[in-house]
Each structure stands twice: as structure tokens, then as C-alpha cells.
């Protein structure tokens, strides 16, 4: 064991900003139709739960399950018939999406042999379902998301019971999240509010790195409510939940009109009203509202960017890509370039011989002063949206002068932090109780943050007496 560090050789090189090592980046396109994609992303729109009841017409085409049966090469929203035809045609025109509809009279399944089984798709869109899902359907949907699928839930205001069966979309979607056999303990970190909001123009948060707000189909600034609802976030239940657009005058965990979250290896999006995706071109006799082309909002980019993100094809605001090339993403991952790429407390990245590096000469040495002290080490990185695996690894050596076998006086936290500074996950907390000779490799799964720019952060906190040194070397963030 080392005694208290009386002094340390300090590096004088100024630290650079949080650097990024990106692979396979693609050009972000600001128009509504991006460049042709290299990968086909498979989207299933649900029409098996009264999505066309009453005045609703939430379908991309009357040709089901394949909209190409109506027009195999649509160029305008009227080439397909349905109030969601603009959404479908915009995706179809990119050449990167395969769209299908689950017809009325069918059921959602996962792991079966049907052509519309969820195992054949990347994303499921639930556009204001008006009849409850069966127990088997809820199991299928939740398992699909947990195993890596995308789920797009679009609600409407409470009381919008279009088929008069006693259920509206608020109740149907809340039931899906709270009464299923996979995880009923607030799995997505939000609940849908029982509200009927007449009108509003919810605004987007200021996050230039968010792949839904700043994605391949353009920039999102506002949406609209034409009789809709909001959600309440519960980040204590799921730290991956995030509000993107808020009702006027509201922020934080309430009044959330559009939210994203993660569950298992999958992704989730919520929208509080169906009017924003309504293009006004549904079947004859339906009273519709053209929210898709409403110039007071940016609903089309919001719907399309969210679909891309859910399907694993979204581009982040920092230049992420919808494909994934196997790579190691952290810059200066062995610290041999000294105080570059990482942001760290003074003297943390060092070749001080008081602690040996695992390889080379440099390492990150946090704490070890024997007095009250906090050190940090961080690097921001974009995990490409198309990656299904993302593993953070590092080697950690802990030595201490503490003698307690039961009290953690000094700690090191390994965390994933958002671009706004919110802690998304505390991966692990180590302490003087974990002291051991040599280095131990640690690894964590970060696949839930694919398509996002996050910061890998280490925070070492030392008490007032007796040193504990946390020494990190040979880091890596391997994706594939």
C-alpha cells in the first residue's frame, strides 16, 4: 500500500475539450427527404386496434399489409390513401424503409411464423390504438422492445373513445406499460396523463445533439396540440427517459408532449396527440386535420426523425450514422498522449511513477491525497445508431491506506451522463473496500445509448484522512 501522497508531479499541458472518435459518419441532410439509405429498416404500422374507428384514419395505405399494392412507387401523399400516407410516402421515397401494416382482425405476435410477426420488424408504430391489447399481445410488444425493437406510441386526449368500447388511447397505452407479464414496474419511466388539452404549440428543448430533434429529416422546433395530452416522467424508475417537447410554460418531469426512453436493448417514443401526424388526406367521410403540413410546427421532421432513431437509422446531431462499423470509439484510450481528448482534474492524467501504469507510462490517477478531495475524468462520445453492441471497458487498480473492512470512506463512480449533464446511469461505485493488488478489468453494456452522444465520467471522492488511489488505464468503448 502507498502512504498519503504528499505531492504529485502535475502535468502542465492544458486539457482539450471532450474529443470524439467517430466511425463511418454520414452527411446530415436538412431536407424532409434524406439521401438513400444503405440499410432497409422495417416498420410495422398497427391497424388491428380500431385505428380507423370513427373519424380516425391512422393508416399509411388502404392496401394492407403491403402499401406498395396501392402504388409501388409513390411520389405524393395522395398516391397512398390514409391520414398517415404522408408519413409512409416520405419514408418510402428514401429507399431505406420497408413498410407494412398489421390489418384489422390480426393480432400482434413475437417469435411466430406470420409475415407480420414483430420479429420481422425493427419498429412498431401504435397510432392511437382504441381497443386494449390482449395479454399475449402485451407480452409480444414488451419482449420485442426489450430485445432491441423500437416502439412509437401515439396517444390522443382522454375521452377520445372513437369506437365507444369504453377505452381510449390513454387507457390502452397506460395498460400496456403497467399490466404486462414482462415488466409492469414503470418500464419506460413515464405515464400518460388523463388530460384533454384543446390547443398549444409545445416547444423543443435546446439540445443540439439529440438525434430526434436534429436528425436526418431536419430540425424540430415545435409541435402542436389539437386536443391531446401529455406525459409525466419518472426518471427514478428509468433514467433513460427524456422529455423533448413541452407544453407551454412547463418543463422538467411534467407537461411532456414528446418523450423518448429505452427499455432493455430497445427504444421508445411517445407523442401526446395524433393530430400532428394527420395529413388531412384520409378516406372520404372522415373529419381530419392537416397537422403534418401545418406551417406553425415541424411535425414531419419530428415523426420521421423519431422513426429513424427507433429503427436504428437516426443521425445524431454530432454526426452519428445509421450503420455500424466495428470500432473502438474512445480517443487517447490508453492516456499515452497525455492530457488530451479527456477532460480531467489537474494532474489526473499522469506519468507519475508513484502508481504504475498497466501499459505504457501514462494512466489516470484519481485521488490518493489522504485529504478531502474530488477528481473527475470524462470523455464525450457518440455511439452510432446502427450499433447493436457497445461495451465500455477499463482496467482499474485500487490501493488504500484505509484499514476498515466495512466502511467505504473513499469512492469512485463510473457513470453515463447526458449532453445536458444529467446522470443517465451509475454503472458502478467502487471504494477503498475494493482495494487489491494489480489491475482488474471492468466492463459495461452501453447499447441502450446507441444513436446518442453521451459522456463517460469517473468521479473519485476522498475523505479527510488516509489515502485511496483509483487508477484507470487502457479504456475502450467497442461497438459493433
Amino acid at each position: 500500500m502507498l502512504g498519503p501522497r504528499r505531492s504529485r508531479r502535475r502535468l502542465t499541458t492544458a486539457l482539450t475539450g471532450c474529443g470524439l472518435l467517430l466511425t463511418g459518419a454520414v452527411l446530415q441532410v436538412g431536407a424532409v427527404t434524406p439521401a438513400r439509405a444503405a440499410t432497409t429498416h422495417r416498420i410495422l404500422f398497427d391497424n388491428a386496434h380500431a385505428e380507423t374507428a370513427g373519424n380516425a384514419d391512422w393508416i399509411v395505405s388502404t392496401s394492407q399489409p403491403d402499401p406498395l399494392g396501392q402504388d409501388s412507387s409513390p411520389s405524393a401523399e395522395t398516391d397512398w390513401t390514409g391520414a398517415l400516407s404522408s408519413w409512409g410516402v416520405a419514408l418510402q421515397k428514401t429507399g431505406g424503409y420497408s413498410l407494412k401494416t398489421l390489418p384489422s382482425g390480426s393480432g400482434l405476435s413475437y417469435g411466430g411464423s406470420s409475415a407480420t410477426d414483430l420479429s420481422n420488424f425493427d419498429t412498431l408504430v401504435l397510432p392511437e390504438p382504441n381497443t386494449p391489447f390482449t395479454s399475449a399481445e402485451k407480452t409480444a410488444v414488451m419482449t420485442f422492445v426489450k430485445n432491441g425493437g423500437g416502439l412509437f406510441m401515439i396517444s390522443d386526449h382522454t375521452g377520445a373513445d372513437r369506437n365507444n368500447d369504453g377505452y381510449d388511447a390513454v387507457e390502452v397505452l397506460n395498460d400496456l406499460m403497467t399490466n404486462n407479464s414482462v415488466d409492469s414496474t414503470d418500464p419506460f419511466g413515464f405515464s400518460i396523463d388523463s388530460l384533454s388539452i384543446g390547443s398549444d404549440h409545445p416547444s423543443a428543448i435546446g439540445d443540439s445533439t439529440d438525434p430526434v430533434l436534429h436528425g436526418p429529416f431536419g430540425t424540430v422546433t415545435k409541435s402542436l396540440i389539437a386536443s391531446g395530452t401529455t406525459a409525466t416522467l419518472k426518471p427514478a424508475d428509468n433514467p433513460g427517459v427524456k422529455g423533448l417537447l413541452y407544453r407551454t410554460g412547463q418543463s422538467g418531469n411534467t407537461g411532456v408532449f414528446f418523450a423518448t426512453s429505452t427499455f432493455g436493448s430497445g427504444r421508445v417514443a411517445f407523442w401526446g396527440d395524433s393530430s400532428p401526424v394527420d395529413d388531412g388526406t384520409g378516406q372520404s367521410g372522415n373529419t381530419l386535420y392537416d397537422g403534418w403540413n401545418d406551417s406553425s410546427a415541424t411535425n414531419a421532421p419530428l415523426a420521421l426523425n423519431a422513426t429513424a432513431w427507433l429503427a436504428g437509422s437516426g443521425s445524431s446531431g454530432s454526426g452519428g450514422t445509421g450503420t455500424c462499423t466495428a470500432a473502438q470509439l474512445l480517443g487517447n484510450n490508453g492516456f499515452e498522449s497525455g492530457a488530451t481528448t479527456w477532460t480531467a482534474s489537474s494532474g489526473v492524467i499522469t506519468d507519475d511513477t508513484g502508481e504504475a501504469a498497466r501499459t505504457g507510462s501514462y494512466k489516470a490517477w484519481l485521488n490518493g491525497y489522504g485529504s478531502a478531495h474530488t477528481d473527475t475524468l470524462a470523455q464525450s462520445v457518440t455511439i452510432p445508431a446502427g450499433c447493436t453492441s457497445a461495451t465500455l471497458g477499463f482496467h482499474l487498480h485500487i490501493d488504500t491506506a484505509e484499514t476498515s473492512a466495512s466502511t467505504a470512506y473513499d469512492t469512485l463512480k463510473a457513470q453515463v451522463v447526458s449532453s445536458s449533464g444529467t446522470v443517465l446511469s451509475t454503472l458502478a461505485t467502487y471504494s477503498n473496500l475494493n482495494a487489491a493488488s494489480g489491475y482488474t478489468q471492468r466492463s459495461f453494456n452501453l447499447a441502450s445509448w446507441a444513436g446518442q452522444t453521451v459522456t463517460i465520467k469517473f468521479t473519485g471522492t476522498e475523505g479527510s484522512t488516509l489515502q485511496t488511489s483509483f487508477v484507470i488505464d487502457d479504456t475502450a468503448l467497442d461497438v459493433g
Side-chain angles (χ1 to χ4, degrees):
M1 296 182 181
L2 292 179
R5 282 178 359 207
R6 297 173 181 266
S7 65
R8 288 175 57 180
R9 292 199 294 271
R10 305 288 185 176
L11 298 180
T12 57
T13 305
L15 297 178
T16 65
C18 296
L20 303 179
L21 180 62
L22 303 177
T23 60
V26 296
L27 178 64
Q28 184 173 335
V29 181
V32 170
T33 303
R36 181 171 294 269
T39 303
T40 298
H41 302 280
R42 306 161 300 170
I43 316 297
L44 180 66
F45 286 83
D46 181 39
N47 185 35
H49 296 87
E51 280 89 354
T52 58
N55 280 325
D57 198 44
W58 312 133
I59 56 174
V60 296
S61 169
T62 53
S63 175
Q64 300 174 11
D66 191 351
L68 297 180
Q70 183 173 12
D71 190 318
S72 61
S73 184
S75 59
E77 62 185 57
T78 52
D79 291 336
W80 288 353
T81 304
L84 303 186
S85 61
S86 290
W87 189 354
V89 170
L91 293 173
Q92 183 66 34
K93 287 168 65 177
T94 69
Y97 292 83
S98 171
L99 311 179
K100 296 291 187 294
T101 299
L102 182 68
S104 177
S106 305
L108 290 162
S109 63
Y110 181 73
S113 58
S114 168
T116 54
D117 187 85
L118 288 172
S119 62
N120 298 317
F121 296 91
D122 301 305
T123 297
L124 169 65
V125 180
L126 300 177
E128 196 191 333
N130 252 245
T131 58
F133 302 105
T134 66
S135 296
E137 286 182 312
K138 288 185 284 188
T139 297
V141 172
M142 297 299 293
T143 305
F144 167 69
V145 179
K146 187 175 182 179
N147 289 348
L151 177 63
F152 204 152
M153 299 191 297
I154 301 172
S155 186
D156 202 1
H157 62 92
T158 190
D161 180 5
R162 298 182 184 275
N163 60 344
N164 299 311
D165 68 343
Y167 297 94
D168 57 34
V170 174
E171 295 166 313
V172 171
L173 294 174
N174 275 335
D175 179 69
L176 169 65
M177 295 185 287
T178 62
N179 184 25
N180 66 81
S181 64
V182 178
D183 187 340
S184 294
T185 59
D186 193 24
F188 304 153
F190 66 85
S191 60
I192 304 172
D193 303 324
S194 294
L195 293 174
S196 182
I197 304 165
S199 63
D200 193 21
H201 280 82
S203 297
I205 63 172
D207 186 349
S208 62
T209 67
D210 188 89
V212 174
L213 299 179
H214 301 270
F217 293 90
T219 297
V220 175
T221 57
K222 287 188 175 183
S223 186
L224 65 85
I225 301 177
S227 293
T229 189
T230 54
T232 298
L233 307 188
K234 302 173 185 177
D237 295 338
N238 185 333
V241 71
K242 179 180 181 181
L244 299 188
L245 288 96
Y246 285 82
R247 187 179 177 186
T248 301
Q250 299 199 35
S251 61
N253 294 331
T254 60
V256 182
F257 186 56
F258 196 103
T260 57
S261 188
T262 58
F263 176 61
S265 300
R267 302 172 181 177
V268 179
F270 161 79
W271 208 338
D273 193 3
S274 52
S275 294
V277 292
D278 185 346
D279 64 17
T281 65
Q283 300 177 69
S284 176
N286 287 335
T287 302
L288 301 169
Y289 176 83
D290 189 1
W292 186 269
N293 298 300
D294 193 312
S295 61
S296 67
T298 49
N299 294 316
L302 180 54
L304 296 168
N305 286 345
T307 308
W309 176 73
L310 289 167
S313 59
S315 172
S316 78
S318 297
T321 175
T323 60
C324 185
T325 301
Q328 193 290 110
L329 301 183
L330 293 179
N332 189 24
N333 63 308
F335 306 106
E336 294 308 308
S337 296
T340 64
T341 308
W342 296 86
T343 295
S345 301
S346 177
V348 164
I349 299 177
T350 179
D351 62 353
D352 190 317
T353 57
E355 285 283 4
R358 178 177 177 271
T359 60
S361 301
Y362 283 86
K363 65 275 172 181
W365 182 357
L366 292 83
N367 304 121
Y369 289 91
S371 60
H373 187 83
T374 298
D375 278 330
T376 59
L377 172 73
Q379 183 175 152
S380 181
V381 63
T382 297
I383 304 174
C387 295
T388 58
S389 66
T391 303
L392 171 68
F394 57 90
H395 290 78
L396 175 64
H397 168 58
I398 303 173
D399 76 39
T400 186
E402 300 285 359
T403 58
S404 174
S406 59
T407 303
Y409 292 108
D410 312 311
T411 62
L412 175 74
K413 290 184 178 180
Q415 297 175 314
V416 179
V417 180
S418 73
S419 57
S420 63
T422 301
V423 176
L424 301 176
S425 176
T426 296
L427 303 173
T429 300
Y430 305 100
S431 74
N432 49 281
L433 301 178
N434 303 116
S437 60
Y439 282 85
T440 301
Q441 185 173 19
R442 314 287 183 173
S443 62
F444 303 92
N445 182 7
L446 304 191
S448 294
W449 293 282
Q452 300 184 45
T453 298
V454 296
T455 296
I456 310 303
K457 184 176 182 180
F458 300 91
T459 302
T461 304
E462 193 171 19
S464 58
T465 60
L466 299 179
Q467 74 86 28
T468 298
S469 294
F470 301 100
V471 191
I472 299 169
D473 202 359
D474 297 329
T475 66
L477 179 52
D478 296 309
V479 299

